[in-house]
Amino acid sequence: MKSLRGERLSSEYQKAVYEIISTTLKNRTDKIKGLVSVTGADVSPDLKNAKIYVSILAKNDEEKKATFDELCAHAGFIRHELAHMMRSRTVPEIRFLWDGSFEYGEKIDRLIKQLEEKEDGKSTDGEGGK
């Protein structure tokens, strides 16, 4: 079970990493395309490692992958900026992980919409035959 301090730190790291990506990193490099969302953060109890979950909304899969690769390449820079923002004794090593929950939710929404359209088509056909 995660401690209250760990949960609070994870939340703070999530907000801080998002702020760094959306401001400082976007100004530093033009390879960040689309909308980057930091969906979660998981800081280890010893504060040595942090998993940062990101979801990227871009025009195509190539832009998503390029943006994700750019985030991974700048993990050290983000950690450095995080050290200035958080002012804590230890700043965890950052590892970015892909969060596919938005894409999964979008896929489910699309499937439900298709089912509803099929049902609407069947109900109008059934009423017209009566």
Side-chain angles (χ1 to χ4, degrees):
M1 188 168 143
K2 203 171 200 180
S3 69
L4 182 62
R5 179 176 185 247
E7 289 178 21
R8 190 175 66 240
L9 279 174
S10 294
S11 176
E12 290 298 317
Y13 280 123
Q14 179 181 349
K15 292 173 192 173
V17 169
Y18 172 75
E19 187 177 323
I20 292 167
I21 291 170
S22 63
T23 58
T24 312
L25 189 60
K26 277 200 172 185
N27 293 336
R28 183 182 173 114
T29 181
D30 60 347
K31 295 180 181 178
I32 305 276
K33 305 285 184 194
L35 178 66
V36 178
S37 295
V38 179
T39 58
D42 188 18
V43 181
S44 65
D46 62 357
L47 304 177
K48 300 281 184 191
N49 298 299
K51 297 175 187 173
I52 306 296
Y53 298 94
V54 295
S55 181
I56 301 166
L57 183 63
K59 292 180 186 176
N60 53 41
D61 290 337
E62 291 82 27
E63 280 189 5
K64 284 182 187 179
K65 184 174 180 350
T67 300
F68 184 76
D69 291 342
E70 193 69 14
L71 288 176
C72 293
H74 283 88
F77 171 75
I78 294 170
R79 182 181 183 196
H80 176 75
E81 292 295 314
L82 198 57
H84 290 295
M85 288 180 76
M86 299 299 286
R87 294 191 177 155
S88 62
R89 183 177 298 178
T90 59
V91 177
E93 184 177 330
I94 295 174
R95 195 171 103 213
F96 287 101
L97 298 172
W98 189 265
D99 183 10
S101 61
F102 285 140
E103 289 85 3
Y104 180 74
E106 185 178 298
K107 179 181 175 184
I108 296 298
D109 286 344
R110 228 182 6 252
L111 291 173
I112 291 172
K113 191 173 185 178
Q114 288 174 356
L115 286 174
E116 288 174 348
E117 289 173 356
K118 285 182 182 179
E119 286 181 5
D120 288 344
K122 287 181 181 178
S123 65
T124 56
D125 291 343
E127 291 175 2
K130 286 184 181 177

